Amino acid sequence: MQKKFEEYAKLLVEVGVNIQKGQNLVISCPVDCAWFARLCAKAAYEAGCREVIMGWGDDQLNREKYLHAADDVFDFVPEWRIRLLTDYAKEGAAFLHIGGSDPEILKGVDQDRLVRSSRSSGRDLKDYRQMQMSNAFPWAIGAIPVPSWAKKVFPDCSEEEAMEKLWDAILTSVRVTGDGKAVQRWQEHLDTLQIRIDKLNALRLESLHYTNSLGTDLTIRLPEDHLWGGGDGVSKAGVHFIANMPTEEIFTAPLKNGIDGVVYASMPLVLKGEVVDKFHFVIKEGKIVEVHAQVGEEKLKAETTLDEGASYFGEVALVPYDSPIRNQNLLFYETLFDENAACHLAFGEAYAECIKGGEEMSKEELKAHGLNDSITHVDFMVGTADLSITGRTHDGKEVPIFVNGNFAL
Ligand code: ZN
Ligand code: ZN
């Protein structure tokens, strides 16, 4: 296993954020996973990293904070924290986030505190977030198991067994086998994604129509100059990086006011430390006008009303049902993995790279091109084995994009 762990750490550092000689690396990681952060730091220094700056997180302490901290704590982000993130972002440092959390860690905490905390982060960390959404600096997200998470995924196993199984599932998802060839496999994977991206971009679609037996019947119009992307991104300094590992999706942005119909989630969603399940949205002219959930409805309603843009959409992503992560037949209870097992949408902020020249545009220009702006971005899964997506071109031609859950292109 040690070989595999080292290969995974190397992959996140050398391919994920693609650390360059003399560049700083900011790592955020739960304290329980410190040993893995050390492997990443070691890999970074070996690749010529200038300095590794650590931001430790702790699930339990975070819960304690929401339960017991003074009330005004949630209304602003301290200056030092804003400076830490924005200063390193401005100099083009790389940001690596290592996730690993109990999916239900914040269950039962005061919803109002969570909402206020999201709003103040959205407001005070706006510059940092905008730089991230327009790829100003390289960033990557990976995850490693912690016992509470592993037990949620494998409730019938002992803790030890569950941890082993979750490690297996994660390493399979990120194509790490311990043979040292993960980087090569990723290159081949990126090439495969690029072929589909090129095909979709060549179609210049006007809209997409989704239907399946869950009851989804949704039309999504796309901006005139939308671009499909996926796999890797390019930072302002011209360095390729992979923001999500794993990644199986090809994505673009919808036209903010161009979505109409009903969409049903096909999998549960972990939303800020709580599970939301069996939900659907009714959407009119881009806006979510009805939210229904059998589990966690209040949580979902709070998130879709965080700000004006939270009730509009920011991402349309295609993932074949027959994909390496889906084929493991697991519910990961972690969006990083679950969103790469199914077609998904996101409400909230759109990525600037989804418009031609978008990364150089101001917020106002992006809005004028039909892109949504919000302090949140929440992916939720809609893909099923019987999902059909039909594209429509500007001259009215219909093109099957997905048939029975898989690419028809
Ligand atoms: Zn996505
Ligand atoms: Zn997303």
Side-chain angles (χ1 to χ4, degrees):
M1 282 307 270
Q2 191 57 28
K3 260 212 162 113
K4 291 186 188 180
F5 297 150
E6 281 166 16
E7 190 174 359
Y8 182 30
K10 207 169 139 83
L11 186 70
L12 286 169
V13 168
E14 289 186 9
V15 181
V17 294
N18 191 4
I19 197 79
Q20 302 292 297
K21 284 205 167 60
Q23 189 181 26
N24 286 322
L25 172 63
V26 183
I27 300 181
S28 52
C29 178
V31 278
D32 294 345
C33 309
W35 66 273
F36 188 74
R38 288 182 204 119
L39 284 186
C40 293
K42 189 164 172 268
Y45 283 128
E46 276 166 10
C49 171
R50 179 179 174 273
E51 186 189 358
V52 173
I53 298 96
M54 284 306 308
W56 297 110
D58 184 282
D59 265 7
Q60 288 300 332
L61 276 183
N62 199 35
R63 180 178 173 82
E64 289 301 314
K65 183 177 93 170
Y66 278 106
L67 289 175
H68 305 299
D71 206 47
D72 65 325
V73 163
F74 307 98
D75 292 323
F76 72 99
V77 179
E79 188 64 27
W80 67 265
R81 192 167 164 71
I82 302 172
R83 287 290 301 274
L84 174 81
L85 295 172
T86 38
D87 286 2
Y88 280 115
K90 276 182 194 155
E91 66 161 50
F95 284 71
L96 173 62
H97 177 72
I98 299 162
S101 279
D102 175 349
E104 302 194 274
I105 188 68
L106 294 180
K107 203 175 171 180
V109 312
D110 184 359
Q111 201 53 240
D112 179 56
R113 289 186 158 205
L114 281 168
V115 166
R116 278 157 49 213
S117 171
S118 299
R119 285 187 179 142
S120 54
S121 302
R123 180 192 65 223
D124 298 344
L125 295 172
K126 207 172 80 207
D127 292 347
Y128 167 74
R129 210 178 140 72
Q130 194 180 341
M131 285 188 269
Q132 181 181 33
M133 295 302 276
S134 58
N135 291 341
F137 55 85
W139 55 282
I141 306 174
I144 75 165
V146 290
S148 51
W149 175 22
K151 281 290 282 179
K152 179 81 184 169
V153 182
F154 301 101
D156 301 327
C157 296
S158 70
E159 193 174 288
E160 195 184 337
E161 237 184 331
M163 283 291 281
E164 261 171 44
K165 284 192 168 183
L166 188 53
W167 259 121
D168 257 6
I170 288 174
L171 293 173
T172 303
S173 303
V174 294
R175 300 175 161 79
V176 167
T177 61
D179 65 358
K181 290 188 183 146
V183 173
Q184 190 185 322
R185 274 189 291 273
W186 269 87
Q187 201 47 58
E188 287 161 10
H189 175 48
L190 294 182
D191 293 345
T192 314
L193 288 175
Q194 195 57 48
I195 293 169
R196 286 217 171 106
I197 292 168
D198 292 344
K199 277 187 189 169
L200 278 161
N201 279 330
L203 285 170
R204 306 300 326 146
L205 294 169
E206 190 263 340
S207 65
L208 299 165
H209 183 216
Y210 286 54
T211 49
N212 68 12
S213 59
L214 280 179
T216 292
D217 186 346
L218 191 71
T219 304
I220 301 176
R221 284 164 57 214
L222 302 174
E224 278 275 337
D225 44 2
H226 72 270
L227 282 178
W228 292 90
D232 55 357
V234 184
S235 75
K236 213 168 156 186
V239 174
H240 287 254
F241 67 96
I242 302 178
N244 287 0
M245 297 191 101
T247 186
E248 301 290 330
E249 68 180 272
I250 292 168
F251 68 96
T252 190
L255 192 63
K256 181 177 176 180
N257 298 310
I259 307 187
D260 287 277
V262 184
V263 65
Y264 280 78
S266 57
M267 292 158 89
L269 167 69
V270 175
L271 187 56
K272 292 186 179 148
E274 200 178 325
V275 176
V276 177
D277 196 11
K278 301 202 167 38
F279 60 98
H280 71 274
F281 297 121
V282 179
I283 302 146
K284 280 206 175 86
E285 291 176 8
K287 190 177 166 68
I288 297 171
V289 291
E290 284 178 42
V291 176
H292 302 277
Q294 284 181 31
V295 181
E297 188 173 278
E298 285 318 304
K299 186 93 175 183
L300 194 56
K301 281 183 173 164
E303 194 67 25
T304 54
T305 50
L306 267 184
D307 62 359
E308 196 257 353
S311 59
Y312 289 85
F313 288 76
E315 183 186 329
V316 178
L318 306 176
V319 182
Y321 198 73
D322 180 16
S323 79
I325 300 180
R326 231 288 318 165
N327 287 339
Q328 295 186 58
N329 242 322
L330 276 183
L331 184 60
F332 279 86
Y333 289 100
E334 161 60 71
T335 300
L336 177 63
F337 296 90
D338 290 331
E339 72 168 338
N340 283 301
C343 280
H344 56 269
L345 301 171
F347 56 85
E349 179 99 333
Y351 287 97
E353 68 191 274
C354 298
I355 286 281
K356 242 179 241 164
E359 284 160 333
E360 272 72 53
M361 288 182 193
S362 67
K363 276 264 173 250
E364 298 315 310
E365 288 173 296
L366 290 171
K367 266 188 202 170
H369 281 79
L371 257 58
N372 188 30
D373 172 28
S374 171
I375 56 171
T376 191
H377 174 102
V378 177
D379 299 275
F380 65 97
M381 287 59 78
V382 302
T384 52
D386 67 350
L387 178 67
S388 127
I389 305 174
T390 306
R392 202 181 163 85
T393 61
H394 285 276
D395 50 14
K397 216 173 89 196
E398 291 200 340
V399 191
I401 307 293
F402 260 57
V403 173
N404 286 329
N406 287 305
F407 270 107
L409 289 173

